[in-house]
Amino acid sequence: MSGGVDSSVAACLMLRQQFDCAGGTMRLHNFGCGGSDDCRDARTVAEKLGIPHHTFEFQQEFDRHVIAPFVFCYEEGLTPNPCIDCNRYLKFDHFLRRAQILGCDYVVTGHYAQIRQD
């Protein structure tokens, strides 16, 4: 859970479908995306939903896999895309493995939602 609307709604929808849920937030640094405010907001939402919440400390991984490559690309005159690296190395690698260690069968985010009409 990022602390935003998308992941909060995704958690609520899973609960409505009778899934046993827990919230998880990647703490990447102390400000902005993945910062302390986001972690606090996600924990508050999880409490309101009545589910446990876990904060995963990924500052070192974020620096290594996202910030360092971003700076290198930028210095080389390239166009870095930190979101791709964050998804590849953190969300769909480190975060997924932590969720599996906690016994989670699925990781649900609201970031890739599609609206279907019947």
Side-chain angles (χ1 to χ4, degrees):
M1 299 176 72
S2 65
V5 173
D6 294 345
S7 58
S8 299
V9 169
C12 185
L13 291 172
M14 293 297 98
L15 285 170
R16 286 185 181 174
Q17 294 180 43
Q18 306 299 311
F19 282 90
D20 184 19
C21 296
T25 304
M26 297 187 296
R27 182 162 179 201
L28 306 175
H29 45 78
N30 291 325
F31 55 90
C33 177
S36 299
D37 290 344
D38 289 346
C39 294
R40 184 194 65 241
D41 292 347
R43 182 172 299 285
T44 299
V45 170
E47 287 173 4
K48 289 181 188 271
L49 293 174
I51 62 175
H53 180 267
H54 306 275
T55 299
F56 303 118
E57 303 290 338
F58 288 155
Q59 292 97 332
Q60 290 178 347
E61 293 86 348
F62 185 69
D63 287 345
R64 182 180 321 115
H65 295 294
V66 180
I67 298 300
F70 176 89
V71 170
F72 174 80
C73 287
Y74 191 79
E75 289 175 341
E76 294 295 314
L78 303 171
T79 305
N81 190 331
C83 295
I84 289 174
D85 289 334
C86 188
N87 284 337
R88 178 183 298 137
Y89 297 110
L90 297 181
K91 187 185 296 181
F92 300 123
D93 183 14
H94 292 288
F95 184 85
L96 180 58
R97 284 191 274 142
R98 291 281 183 93
Q100 290 170 332
I101 289 169
L102 291 172
C104 298
D105 295 320
Y106 306 99
V107 171
V108 178
T109 73
H111 294 234
Y112 306 98
Q114 294 181 356
I115 298 173
R116 291 188 284 178
Q117 297 180 359
D118 295 327

